[in-house]
Amino acid sequence: EADIYQTPRYLVIGTGKKITLECSQTMGHDKMYWYQQDPGMELHLIHYSYGVNSTEKGDLSSESTVSRIRTEHFPLTLESARPSHTSQYLCASSEYYEQYFGPGTRLTVT
Amino acid sequence: SQQGEEDPQALSIQEGENATMNCSYKTSINNLQWYRQNSGRGLVHLILIRSNEREKHSGRLRVTLDTSKKSSSLLITASRAADTASYFCATDASGGSNYKLTFGKGTLLTVNP
């Protein structure tokens, strides 16, 4: 079982609200990732970080932002949630090639 | 464009049978990985095969890689009901960032008791 945690696991929120999805890992990995996944579909990389104060946008354009001020913590923020943001968000970390995933946050924006 | 594409999209078999899933990709790679995802959960790494390897085994899993055809297969032998999950291949493109992965759409495997 990987030591990577995501909170909340489920979130239902109204349009226009600001939300932060938390992700933390205790493995000391430098590299962390955020993916977006719709049901039954592939994962799309939306943000990644190779270390503290390093963040990059992924292959899928996203209105979310991330920060990495501590190695173990990689939160994702949506300033104004919209129904199109409804999806599952998966956080992962890696030391080399193998990625370890958290359980995911299922976000529903009404 | 999609780097990894799994085939078939869905597979239903009986317990004890073997399950084979295929993955095709488009660009040169350093490694190819297979992950498993139980419904509504995060992914779990199963196996990694390097571009200079042709076959790899791990327990009931057998992975092959054919870089000339840009394809890989995952074989699960003697399947169990607990193997029911989605299986994804993931590649990292050579020449680019080695640690970013591109995932395929996955194969949904159902193993009937």
Side-chain angles (χ1 to χ4, degrees), chain A residues 8 21-22 45 59 68 75 107:
Chain A
L21 308 184
E22 302 288 349
L45 181 67
D59 303 320
R68 189 91 183 275
L107 172 66

Side-chain angles (χ1 to χ4, degrees), chain B residues 37-49:
Chain B
Q37 183 180 35
N38 286 81
S39 180
R41 303 286 298 180
L43 280 69
V44 175
H45 180 265
L46 295 176
I47 196 165
L48 179 151
I49 186 165

Side-chain angles (χ1 to χ4, degrees), chain B residues 52-101:
Chain B
N52 61 356
E53 297 177 308
R54 292 297 166 257
E55 187 171 313
K56 203 163 183 180
H57 296 254
S58 176
R60 293 184 296 113
L61 305 180
R62 173 179 169 252
V63 171
T64 62
L65 179 64
D66 187 335
T67 53
S68 67
K69 294 181 179 178
K70 292 186 170 62
S71 67
S72 172
S73 68
L74 171 67
L75 168 67
I76 304 174
T77 60
S79 63
R80 306 165 182 168
D83 294 329
T84 295
S86 290
Y87 292 82
F88 294 88
C89 69
T91 55
D92 58 78
S94 65
S97 166
N98 285 355
Y99 303 109
K100 283 173 55 179
L101 297 180

Side-chain angles (χ1 to χ4, degrees), chain A residues 1 9 31 33 35 37 40-43 45 48 50 59 88 90 96-99 101-103 106, chain B residues 2 31 33 35 37 40-45 48 50 88 92 97-105:
Chain A
E1 196 74 19
R9 289 293 316 280
K31 294 170 269 298
Y33 314 84
Y35 294 90
Q37 183 187 31
M41 301 297 288
E42 68 266 48
L43 282 73
L45 181 67
Y48 62 100
Y50 285 170
D59 303 320
Q88 172 155 269
L90 293 166
Y96 299 111
Y97 302 107
E98 176 184 343
Q99 293 189 10
F101 283 79
R106 186 166 296 280
Chain B
Q2 195 67 35
N31 307 288
Q33 302 180 54
Y35 286 80
Q37 183 180 35
R41 303 286 298 180
L43 280 69
V44 175
H45 180 265
L48 179 151
R50 301 186 191 284
F88 294 88
D92 58 78
S97 166
N98 285 355
Y99 303 109
K100 283 173 55 179
L101 297 180
T102 301
F103 286 83
K105 292 184 178 179

